[in-house]
């Protein structure tokens, strides 16, 4: 699998690791190791989704259906100060766990013991950056290549750190926060290139992905998701006809989560965010499809040029980012072996797309959907509910809301069973109305909709920092925008409220009857749901599957395991750490299998510049700092 080069054995480091076990020869992660992860023994977790196909399916079998109930905490590691949710997928290589925190602080700890090996802090100017972060201070991961940890910094920088020491090897620049961009996603290494996208489609930005030489940090290419002046890519020249002449604020369509890669086809798959502003009235785009926003796009890894696209929601008005997990599988559908991509979209449909050409194969509503009556059977284009559009005078409650039926919680796929596992959320909605007298803000968020002013059943505007009301399905950007609106309202003299828009009658919905969070197993070959259990979230946590007929799920502060074929619950552990859960992973070192997960928001750090701290809430439980929790069979460790 890996090139085992004896010259890379470093005895001093073997001693420093302090293990009683003989050290395996140290290896460097290369294209072959990344490409063949599915054929490995599964001891290491080398890239964001375990494989370039983003399968999150581990070949490990030591933890199985008969013993998984014995899983207990083996050790834990405090990942650093709080003040943001943990969202990173840790990587494992050479007996070391590598990961990153919400402020992009990278750490390396012994995978057996949690003993810290190194930490590296990009020293983000947190005070200066906060107003440019739309949806929480978060970072979803790192990449690994050629003895280096590839670490994005939320402020737009990209670093390569020496895997052994944590010292920077090169530094590059993906984007500038002055231009309203931030970085929150995990990069992907494909054919020696580091590929990464940007966040912030609610800001005036033009979405893109960029590729950097993994050895030097030099930019190789950049692919914009929205047409602009001077375009040379024929795909973008074609897309220009689908936008109005004046694209407000860059167009949006940022790529802030999924990137998967097919090493045989040499195609990079990306999902793109919403067009900005959200409502077509404010962006003056009635009747335009807005390519390549709210789309799945394939780009040539060598050139960065457009290959094909599938647009999930033409002319989207409901924040249906299509950045969700793009999971590749080879499945036989109606007797034909097909190379497909599967995506459980924010919009409530689970899509199967031919990844060689972008052609629609099939879709099902996996959660309640009322914005569309269905999809065109041959093209997959939505058949819109004519009442799903909104204006200044007419508002409508739409499900799924901007939080999505499925957001960035990773899925997983068991190739032996042919089952895809999706953690999501059905029901709940969000009331949309166009913001009257919309003023474009070149330095801030521009949604062009009204928050918390819709008539019943829209919930009352929550207080700053309050969680979403029951039954409400909002995204972090909505929560953040509400907080900003509430803060601005508190600071400004009261203005006369504009007349509320008239709420339309509730729209009929398609999809499952039952509301709430769930974990579902979807048969990729037949297109049928195989099983569904309650409990699950669209944002955070997520799943991995193993070859021992298990699927693990992290949600609501708990770690679960189910039988992969039938969905029988075999494990439920309360982690004891409150706050945001990151995706779980598994690995094996010295013959022992572990399950690891990063979790927690923790107390915010003390205010900078001597600013007064907010008054403490006497009813709040003592905040626990975010941690990396590592479980093993018969683990007996306690949280401090
Ligand atoms: Ca969005």
């Amino acid at each position: 699998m890996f090139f085992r080069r004896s010259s890379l054995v470093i005895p001093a480091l073997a001693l420093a690791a302090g293990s009683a076990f003989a050290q395996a020869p140290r290896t460097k992660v290369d294209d072959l190791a990344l490409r063949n992860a599915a054929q490995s023994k599964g001891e290491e977790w080398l890239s964001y989704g375990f494989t370039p196909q983003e399968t999150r399916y581990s070949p490990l079998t030591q933890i199985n259906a008969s013993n998984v109930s014995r899983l207990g905490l083996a050790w834990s590691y405090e990942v650093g100060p709080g003040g943001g949710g943990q969202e990173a997928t840790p990587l494992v290589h050479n007996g070391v766990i590598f990961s990153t925190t919400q402020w992009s602080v990278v750490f390396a700890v012994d995978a057996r013991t949690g003993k810290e090996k190194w930490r590296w802090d990009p020293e983000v100017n947190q005070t200066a950056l906060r107003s440019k972060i739309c949806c929480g201070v978060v970072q979803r991961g790192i990449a690994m290549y050629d003895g280096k940890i590839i670490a994005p910094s939320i402020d737009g920088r990209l670093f390569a750190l020496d895997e052994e020491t944590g010292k920077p090897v090169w530094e590059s620049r993906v984007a500038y926060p002055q231009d309203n961009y931030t970085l929150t996603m995990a990069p992907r290494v494909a054919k020696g290139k580091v590929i990464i996208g940007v966040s912030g489609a609610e800001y005036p930005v033009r979405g893109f992905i960029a590729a950097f030489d993994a050895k030097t940090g030099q930019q190789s290419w950049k692919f914009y998701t929205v047409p602009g002046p001077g375009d040379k890519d024929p795909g973008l020249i074609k897309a220009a006809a689908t936008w109005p002449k004046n694209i407000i604020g860059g167009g949006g369509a940022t790529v802030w989560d999924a990137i998967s890669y097919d090493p045989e086809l040499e195609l990079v798959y990306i999902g793109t965010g919403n067009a900005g502003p959200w409502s077509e009235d404010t962006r003056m785009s009635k009747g335009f499809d807005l390519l390549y926003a709210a789309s799945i796009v394939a780009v040539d890894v060598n050139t960065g040029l457009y290959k094909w696209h599938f647009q999930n929601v033409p002319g989207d008005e409901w924040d249906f980012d299509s950045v969700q997990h793009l999971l590749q599988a080879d499945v036989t559908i109606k007797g034909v072996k097909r190379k497909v991509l599967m995506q459980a979209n924010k919009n409530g449909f689970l899509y199967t797309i031919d990844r060689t050409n972008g052609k629609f194969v099939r879709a099902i509503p996996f959660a309640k959907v009322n914005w569309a009556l269905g999809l065109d059977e041959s093209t997959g284009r939505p058949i819109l509910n004519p009442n799903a559009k909104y204006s200044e005078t007419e508002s409508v409650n739409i499900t799924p809301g901007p939080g999505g039926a499925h957001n960035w919680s990773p899925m997983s796929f068991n190739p032996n069973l042919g089952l895809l596992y999706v953690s999501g959320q059905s029901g709940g909605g969000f009331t949309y109305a166009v913001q009257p007298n919309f003023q474009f803000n070149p330095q801030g968020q521009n949604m062009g909709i009204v928050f918390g002013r819709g008539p019943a059943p829209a919930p009352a505007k929550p207080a700053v920092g309050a969680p979403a009301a029951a039954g409400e399905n909002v995204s972090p950007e909505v929560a953040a925008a509400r907080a900003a609106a509430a803060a601005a309202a508190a600071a400004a003299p009261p203005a006369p409220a504009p007349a509320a828009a008239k709420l339309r009658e509730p729209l009929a919905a398609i999809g499952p009857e039952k509301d709430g969070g769930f974990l579902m197993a979807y048969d990729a070959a037949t297109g049928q749901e195989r099983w569904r259990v309650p409990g699950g979230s669209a944002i955070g946590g997520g799943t991995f599957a193993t070859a021992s007929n298990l699927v693990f799920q992290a949600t609501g502060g708990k770690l679960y395991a189910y039988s992969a074929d039938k969905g029988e619950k075999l494990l439920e552990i309360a982690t004891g750490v409150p706050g945001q859960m990151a995706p779980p992973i598994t690995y094996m070192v010295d013959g022992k299998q572990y399950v690891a997960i990063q979790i927690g928001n923790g107390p915010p750090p003390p205010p900078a510049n001597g600013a007064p701290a907010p008054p403490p809430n006497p009813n709040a439980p003592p905040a626990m700092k975010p941690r990396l929790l590592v479980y093993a069979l018969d683990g007996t460790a306690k949280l401090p």
Side-chain angles (χ1 to χ4, degrees):
M1 225 83 330
F2 311 122
F3 294 125
R4 299 204 181 262
R5 304 185 185 102
S6 57
S7 64
L8 292 172
V9 178
I10 304 167
L13 285 160
L15 286 172
S19 168
F21 296 89
Q23 295 284 312
R26 290 192 173 270
T27 62
K28 284 189 179 184
V29 175
D30 55 21
D31 291 308
L32 207 61
L34 291 172
R35 180 179 179 144
N36 292 335
Q39 286 79 46
S40 74
K41 290 184 198 158
E43 294 178 336
E44 305 197 304
W45 192 290
L46 301 179
S47 69
Y48 184 69
F50 187 73
T51 56
Q53 295 81 17
E54 289 280 296
T55 47
R56 292 193 185 243
Y57 174 75
S58 167
L60 292 177
T61 56
Q62 189 177 77
I63 298 173
N64 58 43
S66 66
N67 63 20
V68 66
S69 61
R70 285 167 32 207
L71 215 58
L73 189 66
W75 53 265
S76 75
Y77 168 77
E78 191 180 293
V79 303
Q86 300 307 305
E87 296 192 352
T89 294
L91 304 184
V92 182
H93 180 54
N94 284 337
V96 179
I97 300 183
F98 302 89
S99 194
T100 181
T101 73
Q102 78 281 3
W103 277 116
S104 326
V105 177
V106 187
F107 59 85
V109 298
D110 190 303
R112 306 160 188 85
T113 62
K115 187 170 183 293
E116 186 176 289
K117 204 174 158 196
W118 54 258
R119 275 180 82 79
W120 179 80
D121 188 344
E123 297 180 342
V124 173
N125 185 336
Q126 300 181 6
T127 312
L129 194 69
R130 272 186 194 278
S131 68
K132 300 297 182 187
I133 301 171
C134 82
C135 313
V137 181
V138 296
Q139 196 85 61
R140 276 183 299 281
I142 51 177
M144 193 178 268
Y145 191 74
D146 189 37
K148 298 188 253 310
I149 300 299
I150 312 293
S153 176
I154 189 167
D155 57 10
R157 294 173 291 164
L158 183 67
F159 294 90
L161 310 175
D162 184 293
E163 191 180 322
E164 294 297 336
T165 64
K167 298 265 187 300
V169 180
W170 54 252
E171 175 182 342
S172 199
R173 173 62 76 171
V174 182
Y176 290 91
Q178 292 92 318
D179 297 331
N180 298 303
Y181 291 112
T182 49
L183 301 183
T184 61
M185 71 177 296
R188 171 156 303 282
V189 174
K191 215 178 170 188
K193 295 182 177 73
V194 180
I195 300 166
I196 189 164
V198 288
S199 301
E202 279 65 36
Y203 289 81
V205 296
R206 184 182 180 200
F208 69 86
I209 57 167
F212 300 83
D213 184 316
K215 302 220 177 206
T216 64
Q218 289 292 310
Q219 187 175 300
S220 314
W221 50 254
K222 189 171 188 175
F223 171 77
Y224 281 105
T225 56
V226 174
D231 281 337
K232 294 200 176 63
D233 187 328
L236 281 172
I237 292 166
K238 212 173 103 193
T242 68
W243 286 81
K245 273 219 167 56
N246 297 311
I247 298 177
I248 294 176
T254 53
V255 180
W256 56 265
D257 193 40
I259 291 185
S260 78
Y261 173 57
D262 186 326
E264 282 171 18
L265 297 173
E266 299 200 330
L267 291 181
V268 176
Y269 304 107
I270 59 171
T272 64
N274 56 281
W278 285 4
S279 67
E280 64 181 12
D281 277 15
T282 42
R283 67 181 178 232
M284 294 179 283
S285 66
K286 252 190 180 40
F288 288 96
D289 281 359
L290 313 178
L291 292 170
Y292 298 101
S295 301
I296 299 167
V297 185
V299 174
D300 185 317
V301 73
N302 301 298
T303 60
L305 291 173
Y306 165 94
K307 278 296 202 187
W308 58 251
H309 77 277
F310 173 83
Q311 189 171 42
N312 304 76
V313 189
D316 161 62
E317 296 208 88
W318 309 280
D319 189 31
F320 289 149
D321 302 75
S322 294
V323 304
Q324 294 73 47
H325 197 155
L326 294 164
L327 195 149
Q328 299 171 36
D330 295 348
V331 286
T332 302
I333 297 174
K334 292 177 183 160
V336 182
K337 184 126 183 162
R338 300 196 74 159
K339 292 174 181 290
V340 302
L341 277 179
M342 290 180 284
Q343 184 191 52
N345 195 283
K346 249 189 178 186
N347 71 15
F349 289 98
L350 198 171
Y351 293 84
T352 302
I353 304 292
D354 185 324
R355 72 172 184 274
T356 66
N357 57 19
K359 293 273 180 285
F360 176 72
V361 177
R362 62 154 65 109
I364 59 159
F366 69 101
K368 213 166 257 179
V369 169
N370 74 359
W371 63 276
L373 305 173
L375 305 180
D376 182 284
E377 274 180 28
S378 59
T379 64
R381 189 179 174 99
I383 303 158
L384 285 191
N385 185 323
N387 290 319
K389 298 271 178 183
Y390 53 94
S391 66
E392 271 184 37
T393 54
E394 282 191 289
S395 66
V396 62
N397 190 267
I398 293 294
T399 189
H406 173 240
N407 198 298
W408 66 265
S409 296
M411 310 189 294
S412 50
F413 181 72
N414 181 319
N416 296 322
L417 298 171
L419 293 180
L420 175 78
Y421 304 99
V422 185
S423 172
Q425 156 82 35
S426 189
F430 185 81
T431 301
Y432 297 81
V434 171
Q435 181 184 349
N437 309 315
F438 169 74
Q439 295 279 329
F440 176 71
N441 176 358
Q443 286 301 320
Q445 297 195 40
N446 293 282
M447 270 96 125
I449 65 156
V450 179
F451 286 95
R453 198 178 54 82
K461 181 161 70 181
V464 176
E472 203 187 13
N473 179 357
V474 302
S475 57
E477 52 262 50
V478 169
R482 276 183 178 157
K502 183 173 178 293
L503 181 68
R504 288 217 178 95
E505 291 293 313
L507 308 185
I510 55 171
E513 278 294 306
K514 228 169 144 192
D515 282 358
F518 60 83
L519 173 67
M520 74 173 274
Y522 170 79
D523 188 320
T526 66
Q528 303 289 315
E529 180 175 324
R530 184 75 70 83
W531 55 258
R532 179 180 290 236
V533 293
S537 29
I539 297 170
T543 73
F544 72 83
T546 72
S548 53
N549 192 34
L550 291 178
V551 53
F552 285 79
Q553 181 197 24
T555 185
K558 291 183 173 177
L559 183 66
Y560 296 88
Y562 294 89
S563 64
D565 53 351
K566 297 197 178 104
E568 303 148 318
K569 194 198 283 182
L570 303 170
L571 173 78
E572 177 176 344
I573 299 181
T575 62
V577 182
Q580 177 77 60
M581 298 186 97
I585 63 153
T586 188
Y587 64 92
M588 181 178 265
V589 61
D590 297 336
K592 189 169 171 181
Q593 187 182 352
Y594 297 87
V595 173
I597 184 164
Q598 225 167 294
I599 179 169
N601 294 50
N609 310 331
N617 176 357
N619 301 319
M624 190 184 284
K625 284 194 178 163
R627 305 190 83 82
L628 173 68
L629 305 178
V630 176
Y631 295 87
L633 294 179
D634 306 316
T636 56
K638 297 263 179 294
L639 284 176

